[in-house]
Amino acid sequence: MLRVEGRIANEDAEFDGAIDIDEQTGLITKVGPCEGRSDVATEGCVIFAGFGDLHVHAREDVSGREMYKEDFASASAAAIHGGVTHFADMPNNPAAPIDDASYAAKEKLTTGAGVHITLYGGIGPGTRPLARAVPYKAFMGPSVGELFFSSPEQLEETIARYRGCNVSFHCEDPLILNSSRGAATHEQRRPAQAEISATRFALQLIEKYELQGKLCHFSTGEGLKDVIAAKARGVKVTCEVTPHHLFFDDTMLSDENRLWLQMNPPLRGREDRLRMIEALRMGAIDYLATDHAPHSLEEKANGTSGVPHLDTYGAFTTWLMVEHRFTAPQIAKVCAANPGRFVQPYLPKGNGKGFGRVEEGYVGSLTVLDLKKPYVVTRESLKTKCGWSPFEGVSFPGSVRHTVVRGRVYSQDGDKR
Ligand SMILES: [Zn+2]
């Protein structure tokens, strides 16, 4: 039995308590009053249900062609380092999981991973839903990989087959991307209008085909108005935001960092960035999801889009708490509870009530953040195979002290156990 005592934060409450986790079942058996016998040190810390990142590109598939960038083992190590206890992996692999057989083959590769991994099934031109329930991802326009649509009609034709399914959308309008191809900068080639237009179309599809929709890596304040209005009229839609769209904006770009901070969708203006922060706080955005996209240093130097994040997830949330006054329950909601609800229908047996809450019967995974000890991000500290971070040199005000995965403790400060 593992005992963890201290300050606990759920989405709806913050309290002092003691958590008992059965290492055999990996589940929480009891949450009760503190008794002064914690197995791990938690002074100055807040204990959350284990964080979940719903948007990761871990690169492993049966082809193995992109495993020089990352694989399930290295992504799991980076996740644990960053306080992430489960994640959901995107399907834009060379051998994309788009039907029952290819999905099952990819799923087999996740069994030895250090954290639980939920796989998205891919939606591309002509695909059909799997026999089993899985979450899906649709790329509306060209990004990284081959799985994308070239017109709205082609997308709708395919989505019509996925009525009632859980579908995540990468919202960038392929027609606008195409007409902006000649612009001077990456930001101008993928303008805000592409996201705004694609968002409207995605919301129409979600409503028309009664999908459980999710909009990935949202970045424009203007597009958010449509999301908020859709939520208000009962459309089943949720929304992600990345650490990079909250931390960086286009006023911070220089010749030096421009290539390193290139991703899809690109960085937007300061106004958009601040609106995303407020939307995350107020609940208009539901998840802090990273779009962890490991590419080699060489690929980045040659202009490949995407940035890695798993190692820095937990420390980044301390920036939201200290710099932007997020409360611990607000963090618990977007980093633990909402991601837990998202993956719950797809969890295999043995996961109790699932992830996302410090309560009896839930998975005994915890993220323990030290709000007193800063983390200066260095290349040497990272576990991701790609070996770099957009936050190198940044000092986050707090750090991950322990990550507990189903009762197993990983400590950053050399605590035993
Ligand atoms: Zn992505």
Side-chain angles (χ1 to χ4, degrees):
M1 191 71 74
L2 176 76
R3 163 65 67 100
V4 181
E5 297 191 0
R7 190 76 183 159
I8 298 167
N10 276 329
E11 61 177 329
D12 52 0
E14 203 180 335
F15 56 100
D16 293 316
I19 307 160
D20 286 328
I21 301 172
D22 181 335
E23 290 129 320
Q24 244 57 54
T25 64
L27 301 178
I28 297 174
T29 55
K30 188 178 166 210
V31 180
C34 293
E35 296 172 327
R37 52 183 191 90
S38 188
D39 291 325
V40 295
T42 62
E43 74 280 354
C45 295
V46 181
I47 304 163
F48 296 88
F51 289 165
D53 184 351
L54 295 184
H55 195 137
V56 169
H57 298 269
R59 306 296 182 203
E60 182 161 347
D61 70 356
V62 295
S63 84
R65 265 170 41 206
E66 295 186 333
M67 287 168 63
Y68 65 93
K69 297 174 192 259
E70 193 82 286
D71 55 40
F72 289 135
S74 61
S76 297
I80 290 168
H81 181 224
V84 173
T85 63
H86 69 102
F87 66 78
D89 187 61
M90 286 294 167
N92 57 330
N93 305 109
I98 52 171
D99 55 26
D100 286 293
S102 54
Y103 188 95
K106 185 176 175 187
E107 192 177 41
K108 231 183 229 169
L109 304 174
T110 67
T111 49
V115 299
H116 179 72
I117 301 172
T118 303
L119 296 182
Y120 290 93
I123 296 180
T127 60
R128 293 184 176 279
L130 275 57
R132 60 189 277 197
V134 303
Y136 297 94
K137 168 74 180 289
F139 295 81
M140 296 172 90
S143 184
V144 174
E146 299 300 319
L147 216 52
F148 61 83
F149 294 88
S150 44
S151 73
E153 294 74 29
Q154 191 190 28
L155 173 63
E156 178 161 2
E157 211 179 283
T158 301
I159 286 292
R161 302 170 179 160
Y162 289 79
R163 182 174 283 278
C165 291
N166 178 334
V167 181
S168 294
F169 292 88
H170 176 134
C171 292
E172 285 187 289
D173 185 328
L175 303 176
I176 296 179
L177 295 185
N178 197 33
S179 64
S180 314
R181 269 185 318 183
T185 66
H186 181 74
E187 293 67 44
Q188 291 161 353
R189 288 191 287 274
R190 306 186 80 104
Q193 200 52 45
E195 179 167 284
I196 296 163
S197 161
T199 298
R200 290 189 183 133
F201 186 55
L203 290 171
Q204 279 174 27
L205 294 179
I206 291 164
E207 202 162 5
K208 185 168 172 186
Y209 298 104
E210 297 173 317
L211 308 173
Q212 295 162 256
K214 172 156 70 65
L215 308 179
C216 295
H217 37 57
F218 218 74
S219 64
T220 56
E222 190 62 30
L224 205 53
K225 284 186 198 160
D226 295 305
V227 180
I228 292 168
K231 283 186 172 190
R233 63 174 191 275
V235 179
K236 281 193 208 153
V237 61
T238 57
C239 204
E240 304 172 353
V241 69
T242 68
H244 48 269
H245 288 115
L246 298 174
F247 194 84
F248 300 105
D249 59 53
D250 63 7
T251 67
M252 303 171 189
L253 287 170
S254 65
D255 288 344
E256 231 161 79
N257 67 16
R258 176 171 285 283
L259 277 176
W260 302 98
L261 292 176
Q262 180 179 313
M263 71 288 288
N264 305 331
L267 297 182
R268 310 289 187 198
R270 182 180 147 81
E271 193 63 22
D272 280 316
R273 179 171 73 83
L274 297 177
R275 283 170 79 176
M276 292 302 115
I277 291 173
E278 276 320 297
L280 184 65
R281 188 205 312 277
M282 304 311 292
I285 292 178
D286 306 89
Y287 317 102
L288 180 69
T290 64
D291 199 5
H292 174 81
H295 296 294
S296 70
L297 292 165
E298 196 186 355
E299 287 165 329
K300 285 308 285 179
N302 289 323
T304 304
S305 293
V307 297
H309 275 302
L310 280 171
D311 281 279
T312 49
Y313 188 104
F316 177 81
T317 68
T318 69
W319 176 80
L320 289 173
M321 282 189 265
V322 173
E323 200 75 23
H324 289 282
R325 305 272 160 212
F326 277 60
T327 64
Q330 284 168 341
I331 293 296
K333 184 174 182 182
V334 297
C335 300
N338 286 343
R341 277 188 275 270
F342 184 91
V343 302
Q344 212 280 334
Y346 315 107
L347 292 177
K349 283 201 179 78
N351 284 289
K353 295 177 179 171
F355 291 95
R357 193 167 175 82
V358 179
E359 194 178 285
E360 185 186 326
Y362 279 80
V363 172
S365 293
L366 306 171
T367 304
V368 183
L369 297 182
D370 189 335
L371 297 174
K372 301 266 153 63
K373 190 179 167 204
Y375 169 40
V376 182
V377 181
T378 62
R379 207 165 264 195
E380 297 68 45
S381 67
L382 304 171
K383 310 284 187 203
T384 175
K385 204 190 267 192
C386 73
W388 68 281
S389 163
F391 293 126
E392 280 168 42
V394 170
S395 177
F396 288 119
S399 49
V400 178
R401 183 138 179 204
H402 314 283
T403 305
V404 178
V405 179
R406 306 184 72 98
R408 179 165 177 191
V409 182
Y410 299 84
S411 293
Q412 313 269 325
D413 56 2
D415 282 12
K416 64 176 191 310
R417 277 190 78 107

